Amino acid sequence: MVILHIKRTEAKNEFLYETTTAMEVGALLAELTDVHNMRLKVLRLAQYLKDLATHGPIRPEETRGLTDETAKISELDINAYGKPTNPDPHGYRTGCPPPPETAAVLTRMADEAESGAKSAICMPRKTFMTKEHLQVLIDNMRGAVMIAYPAYHRLPQYDPVRVELEDQEELDGRSDLQDVLEPDCQMWWAGKQVMREKVLSEYVGKNEKTKIVCRLTSSNAGAPVREPRIDEDTHKAMLSHYYKKQEEHKKLLEDNDDSYLESSWANPKALKSALVGGGKDISWKPF
């Protein structure tokens, strides 16, 4: 099986995918697009579940961000959902989370989903992303929400969790978790675009034990910027090393101390003294 290391503009959106050399590039791109978008959906839903378990559903749009002092001079009731038990300091949510036992289930399912989809966790483990694996994570979070809010009871239609589970999300691409791909995206490898109408073996050969690093871009983005020859950690280590060398050189230039001339190893007659008399002063006395 060919291993594809898929990258986007951010390292947070990397993942591994397994395929065959006989795969048509068009079908492969469709699979990669679905996997990428589902990964982001899992991560968004996991974050929303944690917020829901902590501070409850979000407020209506007209009351978001209002404080108790602001509400007193308006006709809006910021506590229409109920009396807050864990108020949101930002005034974005109602402050009425589900019971602690149910909230713990939501948080646990969110943590499991993140560990199964986050690049920082999955890449070191060499976990391959598939639509089936990601769908299981979504279904697990859906089940946790159904425990806390059966049939979405008391979960508003505009709450992000419900919007995501009902596939009604409207993404603006302003964050890493909203950087979704369209079906007409492009794939680049070795500085060249991989054409849809060709087979993967035309680019990587027929050896199934191959690993390549690809980058996905939108159809109008053009060729991606080439990656640096050294990774970020190596670059930082090199900068630190040369900075220390530079500081040591500066100290040597500023050091005008010549006290070393009084040392025994700086004596120009040290060799002669060591050869004549074994390094001891020559004693003599008159006859």
Side-chain angles (χ1 to χ4, degrees):
M1 301 296 285
V2 179
I3 299 175
L4 303 181
H5 182 172
I6 305 300
K7 293 186 176 183
R8 282 284 285 153
T9 55
E10 296 289 338
K12 300 177 182 178
N13 290 335
E14 298 179 8
F15 65 92
L16 297 177
Y17 186 81
E18 201 172 29
T19 184
T20 62
T21 57
M23 188 76 169
E24 185 180 350
V25 175
L28 176 61
L29 274 173
E31 287 285 326
L32 293 176
T33 302
D34 291 342
V35 170
H36 172 76
N37 294 342
M38 288 183 70
R39 260 194 74 255
L40 298 183
K41 185 181 184 70
V42 168
L43 296 176
R44 289 196 307 270
L45 190 55
Q47 184 59 51
Y48 295 152
L49 249 69
K50 290 183 179 181
D51 295 338
L52 180 65
T54 305
H55 298 294
I58 67 170
R59 296 177 181 176
E61 186 174 0
E62 62 272 11
T63 60
R64 295 173 195 169
L66 297 182
T67 62
D68 294 335
E69 291 74 13
T70 308
K72 292 178 181 179
I73 59 176
S74 67
E75 298 179 357
L76 299 175
D77 184 8
I78 62 174
N79 297 328
Y81 187 87
K83 185 177 180 181
T85 57
N86 186 21
D88 184 4
H90 304 289
Y92 190 74
R93 293 183 172 269
T94 59
C96 302
E101 298 80 6
T102 309
V105 174
L106 292 173
T107 303
R108 188 177 76 253
M109 289 295 103
D111 290 337
E112 291 180 2
E114 284 187 343
S115 64
K118 260 190 175 181
S119 298
I121 300 176
C122 294
M123 292 298 294
R125 295 178 180 175
K126 297 182 179 180
T127 303
F128 298 105
M129 290 292 121
T130 61
K131 291 195 293 185
E132 294 76 16
H133 167 68
L134 296 171
Q135 188 60 50
V136 169
L137 299 179
I138 294 175
D139 292 340
N140 290 343
M141 290 187 285
R142 188 193 306 274
V145 173
M146 289 297 103
I147 294 175
Y149 302 92
Y152 299 126
H153 178 64
R154 286 182 61 78
L155 187 64
Q157 293 183 350
Y158 48 80
D159 190 87
V161 171
R162 183 169 178 177
V163 171
E164 288 285 349
L165 292 177
E166 293 180 345
D167 297 327
Q168 301 296 325
E169 65 271 18
E170 296 180 1
L171 307 177
D172 54 13
R174 295 181 181 179
S175 67
D176 296 336
L177 297 183
Q178 296 185 0
D179 188 19
V180 296
L181 288 169
E182 298 296 332
D184 60 346
C185 66
Q186 302 173 347
M187 183 166 69
W188 297 78
W189 173 67
K192 297 180 181 180
Q193 182 180 354
V194 183
M195 306 307 295
R196 287 177 170 270
E197 60 274 9
K198 294 188 177 182
V199 181
L200 189 60
S201 60
E202 298 183 37
Y203 294 94
V204 301
K206 296 185 178 181
N207 184 6
E208 295 290 346
K209 297 181 180 181
T210 305
K211 180 179 179 179
I212 62 175
V213 179
C214 305
R215 190 176 292 273
L216 299 179
T217 63
S218 57
S219 58
N220 57 355
V225 179
R226 285 184 177 270
E227 295 185 2
R229 294 181 180 272
I230 56 177
D231 56 71
E232 185 178 357
D233 294 336
T234 305
H235 184 250
K236 290 180 179 179
M238 292 173 62
L239 290 178
S240 175
H241 172 74
Y242 287 117
Y243 177 76
K244 291 179 180 178
K245 287 291 185 182
Q246 186 179 12
E247 292 299 315
E248 291 176 359
H249 182 65
K250 288 181 180 179
K251 290 180 180 179
L252 290 176
L253 292 178
E254 295 173 357
D255 187 7
N256 296 322
D257 186 14
D258 57 357
S259 59
Y260 69 92
L261 295 175
E262 300 176 0
S263 302
S264 59
W265 57 265
N267 183 9
K269 298 182 179 180
L271 179 59
K272 179 180 178 181
S273 300
L275 295 176
V276 180
K280 300 179 180 179
D281 294 337
I282 298 176
S283 61
W284 59 277
K285 59 182 178 179
F287 292 101

